[in-house]
Amino acid sequence: MKNETLAPVVISSNDLLTQWQGHRSLTRRVIEAFPEDKLFSYSVGGMRPFSELALEMIHMAVPSVAGIITGEWKTFGESEAEEKPTTKAGLLKLWDESTEKLNELFPQIKLERFQEIEKAFGQYEGTNHSLIFYCIDNEIHHRGQGYVYLRSLGIEPPFFWERQ
């Protein structure tokens, strides 16, 4: 569905990407803060280990932007890496590759695509910009779980406001 007239812009596409990448930078530091032996196994209250939460973020980011660009949506998880990393270095490598791919793809989103309504991954209907906000909100939510894990391990997490 296409909007014929676009409302005035409050934030530019570039500023939105900068905001998202600031969150990704902070989440990367949370991954780094985990001890190697706890990143893949530690959880609180039955929640998933932080490595699984980070993989979910990875599997949402680039596929969401690619879908917004092309209008073609795979089933969620279809584009996931075949092998899950088993080391912090491997997880950080995937994180960094995803971050670079976002930098490459995001500027390719045509402005009118942000306002268009689609059914992302065949299940989430809404505007494309709302999907981007969902990806950011989901990351913040799961990063908060990581903060709880780190604090329960006696580790001071990075300051949440430092997103460079």
Side-chain angles (χ1 to χ4, degrees):
M1 179 166 130
K2 238 182 180 172
N3 269 342
E4 296 303 320
T5 58
L6 296 176
V9 175
V10 174
I11 184 171
S12 72
S13 175
N14 187 57
D15 289 341
L16 180 56
L17 176 59
T18 299
Q19 178 74 6
W20 191 0
Q21 291 292 32
H23 283 288
R24 289 184 62 81
S25 173
L26 177 54
T27 301
R28 187 186 197 287
R29 289 198 311 283
V30 171
I31 295 168
E32 289 175 327
F34 270 86
E36 183 86 28
D37 66 329
K38 301 297 184 194
L39 181 59
F40 296 89
S41 62
Y42 188 77
S43 71
V44 172
M47 295 186 290
R48 294 175 285 167
F50 195 69
S51 63
E52 290 184 29
L53 303 177
L55 280 172
E56 178 184 308
M57 295 175 226
I58 290 168
H59 297 150
M60 285 281 308
V62 170
S64 293
V65 172
I68 292 169
I69 291 168
T70 65
E72 298 172 15
W73 296 91
K74 297 179 178 184
T75 303
F76 182 73
E78 187 178 341
S79 59
E80 294 179 8
E82 291 195 17
E83 289 187 38
K84 290 183 179 179
T86 57
T87 64
K88 185 191 305 190
L91 182 60
L92 289 169
K93 181 178 184 282
L94 279 179
W95 189 266
D96 293 343
E97 289 169 354
S98 176
T99 298
E100 286 307 310
K101 193 73 172 166
L102 275 179
N103 285 334
E104 176 188 325
L105 291 177
F106 204 89
Q108 297 176 36
I109 301 173
K110 294 182 176 152
L111 285 179
E112 62 271 12
R113 291 287 293 145
F114 286 100
Q115 300 300 322
E116 292 177 6
I117 297 172
E118 294 195 351
K119 199 169 205 176
F121 305 109
Q123 55 187 332
Y124 307 113
E125 188 168 350
T127 58
N128 286 321
H129 76 270
S130 68
L131 175 62
I132 293 169
F133 284 120
Y134 175 81
C135 290
I136 296 168
D137 291 344
N138 186 57
E139 181 170 335
I140 294 167
H141 164 73
H142 286 317
R143 187 174 62 234
Q145 288 175 266
Y147 274 54
V148 170
Y149 292 179
L150 289 172
R151 288 190 184 282
S152 71
L153 290 167
I155 300 167
E156 182 72 24
F159 296 123
F160 74 90
W161 60 85
E162 290 184 351
R163 289 185 257 151
Q164 334 46 353

